[in-house]
Amino acid sequence: MAMTLSGRPKVTTIRVVTFNTLFGGHDDFGLGAGDRWRGQIEFLKGLEADILALQECNFWDLLGCRRMYQTLNALELGSAYLAHANETTSGHRFHSVIMLSPRVRLTAQGADRDRYHHVMGWANLILPGLEGLLELRNLHLDPFDPRNRAREISPLGVLAAPGRRSLVVGDANTIGLDYPEPDWRRLPAHAVNGHLGLPREGEDQVSDRDATELLARAGFKDASHPFQQETVPTAAFGTGDVPRRQDLILMSPTLAPALVNYQVHLEPVDKELSDHGAVSADFDLSRVA
């Protein structure tokens, strides 16, 4: 069987990657120089993604989505869709983007801004070796309000119903299940409200994980768990921050048997290209009943 450069079979195995670009790879909140973007292109090209979910694609919508298409062409991928985000109180629009390799075909795509602090991009896909559709959701959840995060993901539980092949990926802005409780005392008081649940009398304050717990209760499986990678942080490596695992790839139970590999890539952090690492998962779709 022919293999890719990374050693995975070409025929029925696909690679899914999620990555928060930190202001689209440009300095000055997305308005400045693109040196980080150029480094990100070199890094992402090496991952050979078939499905690439990106967050914080600030200003990628301008001039006919010029930056998005520059990225698409530099990565030599096949198609791209930009989900326009709501404007934040500071004037940012943290757009998200789904890019697909030529091996992946679309049947539908769109975005939901009404329920989301930023936006949720979605796509229904035809994949090699899979009968029927794969339903993809690209998340960038509310970083400030734990209660809103639970509302944002509440409609997604149905994607875990028997027989549905679905992936929920992206920056959840909340800690994944089984990640150890961080020492939040490292953060100033004003910064912890987005991370901690509401205090209960007589109990220590702990991380809000309602969004991930609701998805797990619906049946979603975390791709990190079979590879004992649930304690590996993916984000928040900045000075004074608390590293944590918040970039997630979650699978419906029907799709879970196809998972054959999972990896956290910290090269973007090590090279100061982003404050997030990338996360990848490989799926051999011939394993799906």
Side-chain angles (χ1 to χ4, degrees), residues 139-244:
L139 297 181
H140 189 192
L141 298 184
D142 191 333
F144 302 115
D145 187 348
R147 291 156 294 184
N148 194 41
R149 287 196 291 266
R151 288 191 292 268
E152 287 179 310
I153 62 87
S154 59
L156 303 183
V158 298
L159 296 174
R164 295 186 79 162
R165 294 82 174 266
S166 56
L167 285 169
V168 174
V169 309
D171 181 0
N173 269 315
T174 187
I175 295 179
L177 298 186
D178 298 322
Y179 189 84
E181 189 68 27
D183 181 4
W184 295 112
R185 293 173 297 179
R186 294 173 53 184
L187 288 182
H190 74 274
V192 298
N193 277 342
H195 304 292
L196 299 181
L198 292 175
R200 297 178 175 88
E201 186 176 356
E203 296 181 0
D204 293 334
Q205 286 190 319
V206 297
S207 303
D208 164 73
R209 308 187 194 214
D210 286 356
T212 46
E213 287 176 350
L214 285 170
L215 289 171
R217 190 168 70 183
F220 277 97
K221 310 297 182 184
D222 193 314
S224 71
H225 291 173
F227 299 93
Q228 292 77 52
Q229 297 291 299
E230 58 267 33
T231 63
V232 178
T234 67
F237 297 100
T239 303
D241 210 337
V242 178
R244 49 193 178 268

Side-chain angles (χ1 to χ4, degrees), residues 66-119:
R66 179 176 176 178
R67 283 186 180 176
M68 183 185 74
Y69 288 114
Q70 286 177 331
T71 304
L72 177 74
N73 292 326
L75 294 177
E76 300 179 0
L77 292 174
S79 65
Y81 175 76
L82 185 142
H84 287 82
N86 295 306
E87 184 173 336
T88 68
T89 53
S90 56
H92 294 292
R93 290 187 186 272
F94 292 98
H95 308 306
S96 67
V97 168
I98 295 172
M99 294 190 176
L100 305 171
S101 80
R103 304 175 64 221
V104 181
R105 290 181 290 160
L106 275 164
T107 66
Q109 62 186 0
D112 184 355
R113 285 194 299 181
D114 293 339
R115 180 178 291 274
Y116 293 88
H117 177 80
H118 294 305
V119 67

Side-chain angles (χ1 to χ4, degrees), residues 24-81:
H26 288 252
D27 297 336
D28 191 20
F29 302 101
L31 291 168
D35 292 341
R36 290 191 300 105
W37 175 83
R38 284 182 281 274
Q40 291 174 6
I41 291 297
E42 182 179 358
F43 162 70
L44 290 171
K45 195 170 183 179
L47 293 186
E48 296 185 302
D50 293 297
I51 298 172
L52 176 60
L54 301 172
Q55 302 88 40
E56 289 201 22
C57 300
N58 298 39
F59 301 109
W60 283 25
D61 60 320
L62 300 183
L63 299 175
C65 296
R66 179 176 176 178
R67 283 186 180 176
M68 183 185 74
Y69 288 114
Q70 286 177 331
T71 304
L72 177 74
N73 292 326
L75 294 177
E76 300 179 0
L77 292 174
S79 65
Y81 175 76

